[in-house]
């Protein structure tokens, strides 16, 4: 599938469907005996998309593989959960979840009273989310605002129009987003975040380790996926790599540090091990070579 600068999608299409993939992983984790978190909304989204004709793999090789590598999505979810809880406990009452997809934090986290949570994503994705929650009579306990706009367009204006206050500290997050942006769009995104961040703001990002776009690693992953697709006899299963912009990226940790953000960075495998969800030895190749970066601006 070819990406373009202005492409858009519904929840079951292109980049939109990756949000469903994450929802499936969160539903899987919620159903384990000792989940790292409980997301009772994830299954509702998967079910609603299935009614719309989406066909998830609930058994067979694809589902088995997804569960085997589920530790990555589980650890990632937990890390962002803890980031927002810590930001709230430190007085930040404005959160912006960029590329929110089917992230249910606005509904499931124990937000401090008075917190405003903004979610930014493409219009049809947020519409599907709102419709699904409304169909189940679910409302957020927090002050929630959906900002339906493409992150390559003028999202800062849309965010301000929704009530965002750039003079107060913000907790930003970008989870599962950067591979779907071009290197140039990624740079613009962080320039805008930096401009909109009052002293005391924080940012949490799932970013790239140097080996993320290593051609051999990508080719190996592609080949593994091709074999899995053959095993599952599903020639149409999309390979997520086809949706990525495989380009050299700015070193985000260094970029933020140069602009006064205090950085901590945790490699994916360390994060997973730390939460007791290590990658199975034979599947470490399938773990994205990501790094989880938190930046804090001096208050
Ligand atoms: N952060 C969510 C999570 O972890 O559950 C969703 C991650 S999903 C892999 C990627 C999300 O990024 C999708 O919801 C997609 O719509 C969103 N996205 C990607 N590029 C975008 C763009 N240019 N503008 C708005 N949203 C975008």
């Amino acid at each position: 599938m070819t990406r373009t600068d202005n492409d858009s999608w519904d929840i079951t299409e292109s980049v939109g469907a990756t949000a469903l993939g994450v929802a499936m992983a969160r539903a899987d984790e919620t159903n384990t005996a000792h989940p790292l978190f409980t997301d009772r909304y994830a299954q509702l989204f998967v079910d609603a998309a299935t009614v719309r004709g989406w066909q998830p793999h609930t058994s067979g090789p694809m589902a088995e593989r997804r569960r085997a590598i589920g530790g990555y999505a589980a650890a990632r979810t937990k890390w962002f959960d803890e980031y927002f809880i810590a930001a709230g406990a430190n007085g930040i009452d404005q959160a912006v979840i960029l590329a929110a997809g089917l992230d249910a934090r606005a509904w499931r986290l124990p937000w401090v009273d008075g917190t405003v949570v903004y979610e930014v994503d493409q219009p049809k994705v947020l519409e599907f989310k709102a419709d699904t929650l409304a169909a189940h009579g679910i409302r957020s306990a927090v002050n929630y605002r959906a900002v339906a706009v493409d992150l390559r367009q003028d999202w800062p204006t849309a965010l301000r129009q929704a009530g965002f206050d750039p003079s107060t500290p913000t907790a930003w997050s970008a989870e599962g987003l950067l591979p779907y942006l071009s290197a140039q769009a990624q740079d613009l995104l962080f320039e805008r975040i930096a401009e909109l961040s009052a002293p005391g703001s924080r940012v949490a990002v799932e970013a790239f380790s140097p080996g993320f776009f290593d051609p051999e690693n990508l080719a190996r992953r592609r080949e593994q996926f091709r074999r899995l697709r053959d095993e599952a006899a599903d020639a149409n299963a999309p390979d997520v790599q086809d949706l990525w912009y495989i380009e050299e990226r700015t070193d985000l940790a260094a970029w933020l540090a140069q602009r006064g953000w205090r950085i901590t960075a945790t490699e994916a495998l360390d994060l997973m091990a730390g939460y007791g969800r290590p990658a199975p030895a034979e599947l470490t190749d399938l773990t994205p070579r990501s790094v989880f970066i938190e930046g804090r601006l001096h208050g």
Side-chain angles (χ1 to χ4, degrees), residues 32-259:
T32 61
H34 305 287
L36 267 178
F37 56 86
T38 299
D39 183 347
R40 68 185 183 89
Y41 308 97
Q43 190 65 50
L44 301 182
F45 295 129
V46 171
D47 291 346
T50 307
V51 169
R52 284 195 183 193
W54 190 59
Q55 295 180 323
H57 287 269
T58 50
S59 60
M62 289 271 189
E64 280 162 29
R65 179 64 61 94
R66 191 184 66 242
R67 290 187 189 115
I69 60 171
Y72 180 83
R76 176 176 105 167
T77 300
K78 184 71 175 173
W79 185 77
F80 280 96
D81 284 3
E82 289 179 343
Y83 158 78
F84 279 118
I85 289 169
N90 283 276
I92 300 180
D93 60 5
Q94 178 167 259
V96 180
I97 304 177
L98 300 164
L102 303 175
D103 171 338
R105 291 192 177 91
W107 293 267
R108 64 181 180 80
L109 289 192
W111 298 96
V112 173
D113 283 353
T115 303
V116 186
V117 179
Y118 297 88
E119 285 195 333
V120 186
D121 206 303
Q122 285 222 351
K124 287 182 185 166
V125 171
L126 291 181
E127 191 183 305
F128 167 81
K129 186 175 194 174
D131 288 352
T132 304
L133 293 170
H136 292 276
I138 295 165
R139 298 191 55 191
S140 172
V142 80
N143 191 342
Y144 167 74
R145 302 192 191 160
V147 184
V149 63
D150 192 295
L151 286 161
R152 297 162 294 184
Q153 307 297 331
D154 184 8
W155 60 267
T157 297
L159 189 62
R160 283 171 188 262
Q161 284 169 351
F164 173 84
D165 177 2
S167 69
T168 195
T170 302
W172 303 90
S173 73
E175 176 186 19
L177 167 63
L178 301 191
Y180 306 103
L181 294 179
S182 67
Q184 197 187 12
Q186 175 182 318
D187 288 346
L188 180 59
L189 181 85
F190 286 100
E191 278 161 24
R192 288 166 157 177
I193 290 173
E195 273 167 27
L196 293 169
S197 292
S201 292
R202 299 184 180 193
V203 65
V205 189
E206 180 189 17
F208 307 107
S209 268
F212 191 97
F213 291 123
D214 170 54
E216 276 178 30
N217 180 43
L218 293 182
R220 209 164 35 239
R221 287 172 62 92
R222 195 179 276 290
E223 175 54 23
Q224 280 169 336
F225 188 76
R226 198 189 54 74
R227 278 205 305 272
L228 187 61
R229 198 152 51 183
D230 290 349
E231 255 176 73
D234 182 355
N236 295 325
D239 184 345
V240 79
Q241 276 191 47
D242 292 334
L243 301 169
W244 292 353
Y245 286 86
I246 298 175
E247 300 175 330
E248 275 304 308
R249 306 291 176 129
T250 298
D251 177 344
L252 189 59
W255 189 93
L256 288 166
Q258 280 157 12
R259 282 155 188 79

